[in-house]
Every structure is written in C-alpha cells, then in structure tokens.
Amino acid sequence: QVQLVESGGGLVQAGGSLRLSCVASGNIFSINTMGWYRLIPGKQRELVAAISRDDTRDYADYVKGRFTISRDYAKGTVWLEMNNLKTEDTAIYYCNVKGTGAITNYEYWGMGTQVTVSS
C-alpha cells in the first residue's frame, strides 16, 4: 500500500509560480508512474503531467512550456513546478501514483491541494 501527502498549493497572482510536492510512503519501490491531475469545478479530473520510472514525461498541452514535473524515486517524491500561472489553472491538484502490487496493479490518489490564481 502507498500513502500520499501533497503540499505547496496556495494563492498566487497570474504570472506567478508555485511548486507542488507529493511524498509517497509505504511500498514506494513498487511505484511505476507518478503524476499530477487537477479538478476544475464543472469539469472532469484531467491529467496535468506524469513521469514514469524511465523518466518519460507526459504533459497536457495546456501546460507545456510552463510546468515541469520531476521526481526522486528513491525518496518517493514528485514535484510539479508551475510557472507563468494563469487564472484558468485554478483547480484542486491531486497527486497520483500507479504501480505493480504483489497480485495486481494499483493506483492511489492524494487528498488534493488547492491552487488559486488571481488576476
């Protein structure tokens, strides 16, 4: 089992930056992919960025060039560096991990951290 704790959300003005962190505990060496999703009111939760064990990164088109995902697998930590934030980036951001358990694959979610970008 894996537990996730997120931090780094908050209120920032448009054009500003924030850095989100997610620390995993438990069976962290079974994790394959770590990533961030976001939930905007009235929309479905959507992928923001993900990074796999071989360092392959996947970004949503709307964050390319502005957000950077990085990780330290040995520490079970993933970061999301968010630059040039826009008001439309306002959302709850969730940490997500996918891995391989003893019997089956698994997926875990963090509780979420609020990011609010003001104009």
Side-chain angles (χ1 to χ4, degrees):
Q1 198 164 10
V2 175
Q3 295 79 41
L4 304 172
V5 178
E6 301 132 325
S7 61
L11 174 63
V12 64
Q13 284 191 324
S17 300
L18 283 174
R19 190 188 198 208
L20 305 183
S21 299
C22 174
V23 180
S25 60
N27 190 13
I28 64 172
F29 295 107
S30 67
I31 295 173
N32 296 321
T33 303
M34 305 182 79
W36 293 92
Y37 287 70
R38 71 185 188 185
L39 179 63
I40 297 171
K43 295 186 176 182
Q44 291 192 342
R45 187 157 49 186
E46 57 189 10
L47 173 70
V48 177
I51 182 168
S52 61
R53 184 179 289 275
D54 64 0
D55 259 356
T56 300
R57 291 165 170 84
D58 185 22
Y59 292 99
D61 287 342
Y62 51 79
V63 303
K64 286 180 180 177
R66 300 190 297 126
F67 292 11
T68 302
I69 190 169
S70 58
R71 59 67 171 155
D72 184 330
Y73 264 112
K75 295 182 179 179
T77 303
V78 63
W79 298 275
L80 184 68
E81 185 76 33
M82 305 186 293
N83 297 314
N84 190 21
L85 282 160
K86 304 176 181 180
T87 56
E88 53 262 43
D89 293 318
T90 295
I92 301 173
Y93 285 72
Y94 295 90
C95 181
N96 172 274
V97 298
K98 298 179 176 67
T100 304
I103 300 174
T104 187
N105 295 334
Y106 64 77
E107 180 176 32
Y108 290 103
W109 295 90
M111 295 296 290
T113 185
Q114 176 71 47
V115 171
T116 303
V117 185
S118 63
S119 58

